[in-house]
Amino acid sequence: MRLTTKGRYAVTAMLDLAIHANDAPVPLAEISQRQGISLSYLEQLFSRLRRQGLVDSARGPGGGYRLARPASEIAVVHVINAIDENVNVTRCGGQADCQDGDPCLTHDLWCDLSNQIHEFLSSISLQQLVERRTVREVAARQDSRQQTIKYKAAGTERDFAVSS
Amino acid sequence: MRLTTKGRYAVTAMLDLAIHANDAPVPLAEISQRQGISLSYLEQLFSRLRRQGLVDSARGPGGGYRLARPASEIAVVHVINAIDENVNVTRCGGQADCQDGDPCLTHDLWCDLSNQIHEFLSSISLQQLVERRTVREVAARQDSRQQTIKYKAAGTERDFAVSS
DNA sequence: AAAATACTTGACCATTTTAGTTGGATAAAG
DNA sequence: CTTTATCCAACTAAAATGGTCAAGTATTTT
C-alpha cells in the first residue's frame, strides 16, 4: 500500500488550494507556511499535479497555482494517483502473479481491500472536504496564525502568540 | 499506512495454518515451502503471533504451530495488529497533533479512511477465507506442488513439472 | 531593461524500514 | 544422544522515505 506522507501532503496542499481559491492564484510559499510543508518538496509535488492536469500554474509576481477543475470534480483518489501513489495493497499490483506466476493464497483478499479503499477515496471530493466544519476550523486557525507571522515579519511590535 | 509484505506474509501464513489444521501441528518448514516465505522470517512472525496469543506452539519432532482459537474467531485485522502493523493512515497515529500539536487539515479524512479499512479487515475471518473457492484452488495447487517437491527430494525418477 | 517573483529540474542525502540472514540455544521425541 | 523442531538475538544489504540544495527558466512589474 502506497499511502505515505507524500500522498497526504499532496491532498493537504490541494485542499489548501481549494480553500483559498477565490480569485488570485495561490503561491506555494503560502501553502508551505500554512501547512508546514517545505517549499521545495511542494514544488516536486505540484510539478506532478500540474503534469496530471489537476492544477494550472501562473508565473511571475502575483502568480501561483489554481485548481484546474472545480473542487467538486476532484476526488481525493485523483490527487493520490497523480502523485504516483497507487492505492493497491497487493504485492503483485493486481497482476495475480504474486507467487511464481500464480496468485498467492491471499491475493483476492488484498484485491478486495484495494477496491474498498479506492471506492472510499473516489467518493470524497475536495469540495466536500472544504464544506466540513472541522476542516473550516482548522483552516481558520491556520489563516490567523499565518497572519501573525506576516505581522511579525513586517516588524510590528505587537506580540501575537505564534505557535504556543 | 502500515500494510506491507510483513503483514501480508503473516495473514498468508495464518491462512495456511487454518487450511492445514486437521490434527497435527503444522511446522513452519512446511508453510515456508508452500508459501515461499523464508523459514527464519516466518520464525520472527510467529514469535509475535504466539506472544499475542493467536497461535500455540509445540516443540520437538512432530511439533509446529496450531491456531489458538477457531478460525472463525480470528479476523484478518487481528493478525495484522499482532504483527505490529497498525491500519492507521494518519500521520499522528490518531493523536490529532499532526501539525505542531494541532490536527492537520486532512486529519479527519485519514481517520475516516483508517476506520473503513479497520472495519473491512475486522469483518473477514480466517474461516471465511478458507471457505472461498479461489482460496481452496490456490491451496490445492500449492499442496500438489509441495508433494512433487517431496517426491523430487526423495529421489524419485518420475518427472513432475514443478514450477513451469 | 532590470529586478523581483515564482516555477522547473535534477542531483543529492540522512534516516528509517524492509526483508531478510546468521548463529546458536532449548526442548521433546524416538 | 541424535534428530527435529521451536525460540531468540544480533546483524545487514537494499530500498524507500522525506526531504534539501543548487542552478536555472519564465514572467511580470516597475
Side-chain angles (χ1 to χ4, degrees):
Chain A
M1 169 80 166
R2 300 187 56 70
L3 212 177
T4 64
T5 315
K6 196 192 267 182
R8 285 194 298 256
Y9 277 176
V11 175
T12 301
M14 286 291 281
L15 182 53
D16 182 287
L17 210 52
I19 289 171
H20 299 90
N22 27 28
D23 41 333
V26 180
L28 293 190
E30 283 185 18
I31 301 182
S32 169
Q33 273 191 19
R34 278 193 294 259
Q35 307 303 332
I37 307 171
S38 98
L39 178 59
S40 6
Y41 202 42
L42 277 177
E43 286 174 349
Q44 271 185 50
L45 300 180
F46 273 79
S47 171
R48 291 181 174 214
L49 293 170
R50 191 179 57 84
R51 281 198 296 269
Q52 297 295 321
L54 290 181
V55 295
D56 290 328
S57 63
R59 296 179 150 195
Y65 285 95
R66 256 187 264 255
L67 295 183
R69 306 197 295 263
S72 57
E73 291 172 25
I74 300 179
V76 173
V77 78
H78 297 148
V79 178
I80 292 175
N81 282 341
I83 235 57
D84 191 30
E85 302 210 309
N86 65 345
V87 177
N88 194 311
V89 296
T90 61
R91 179 185 208 185
C92 53
Q95 297 297 305
D97 57 356
C98 353
Q99 193 183 3
D100 305 327
D102 287 309
C104 72
L105 204 52
T106 47
H107 177 79
D108 283 6
L109 172 65
W110 308 125
C111 277
D112 291 351
L113 176 58
S114 301
N115 289 336
Q116 279 273 326
I117 296 172
H118 194 276
E119 277 176 33
F120 179 76
L121 293 179
S122 295
S123 75
I124 298 178
S125 70
L126 292 181
Q127 182 60 36
Q128 287 171 339
L129 290 177
V130 170
E131 288 165 2
R132 284 192 188 184
R133 191 176 49 79
T134 53
V135 170
R136 305 193 85 98
E137 285 169 3
V138 171
R141 194 191 70 225
Q142 292 174 339
D143 284 347
S144 67
R145 167 147 47 175
Q146 190 194 11
Q147 207 57 29
T148 60
I149 291 170
K150 273 192 185 165
Y151 281 136
K152 274 207 148 177
T156 314
E157 300 295 345
R158 300 272 299 276
D159 184 16
F160 300 85
V162 169
S163 65
S164 69
Chain B
M1 167 82 165
R2 301 187 57 68
L3 214 177
T4 64
T5 313
K6 194 193 269 182
R8 285 194 298 256
Y9 276 178
V11 175
T12 301
M14 286 290 281
L15 182 53
D16 184 286
L17 210 53
I19 290 171
H20 298 92
N22 27 28
D23 41 331
V26 180
L28 293 189
E30 284 186 19
I31 301 181
S32 169
Q33 271 192 19
R34 278 192 295 258
Q35 306 305 331
I37 307 171
S38 96
L39 177 59
S40 10
Y41 202 44
L42 277 177
E43 286 175 349
Q44 274 183 47
L45 300 180
F46 274 79
S47 169
R48 291 181 174 213
L49 294 170
R50 190 178 57 87
R51 282 198 293 269
Q52 297 294 321
L54 289 181
V55 296
D56 291 328
S57 64
R59 293 179 151 195
Y65 286 94
R66 258 187 260 257
L67 295 183
R69 307 197 293 264
S72 58
E73 292 172 25
I74 300 179
V76 174
V77 78
H78 297 148
V79 178
I80 292 175
N81 283 340
I83 236 57
D84 193 28
E85 301 209 310
N86 64 344
V87 176
N88 194 310
V89 296
T90 62
R91 177 185 210 184
C92 53
Q95 297 296 305
D97 56 357
C98 352
Q99 194 184 4
D100 304 328
D102 287 310
C104 72
L105 205 53
T106 46
H107 177 78
D108 283 4
L109 172 65
W110 308 125
C111 276
D112 291 351
L113 176 58
S114 301
N115 290 336
Q116 280 272 326
I117 296 173
H118 195 276
E119 276 175 34
F120 179 75
L121 293 179
S122 295
S123 75
I124 298 179
S125 69
L126 292 182
Q127 182 60 35
Q128 286 171 340
L129 290 178
V130 170
E131 286 164 3
R132 285 192 188 185
R133 190 177 48 80
T134 53
V135 170
R136 304 192 85 99
E137 284 169 3
V138 172
R141 195 191 70 226
Q142 291 175 338
D143 285 347
S144 66
R145 166 146 49 177
Q146 191 194 10
Q147 206 58 27
T148 61
I149 291 170
K150 273 191 184 167
Y151 282 135
K152 275 206 146 177
T156 314
E157 299 297 343
R158 299 271 300 276
D159 185 16
F160 299 85
V162 170
S163 64
S164 70

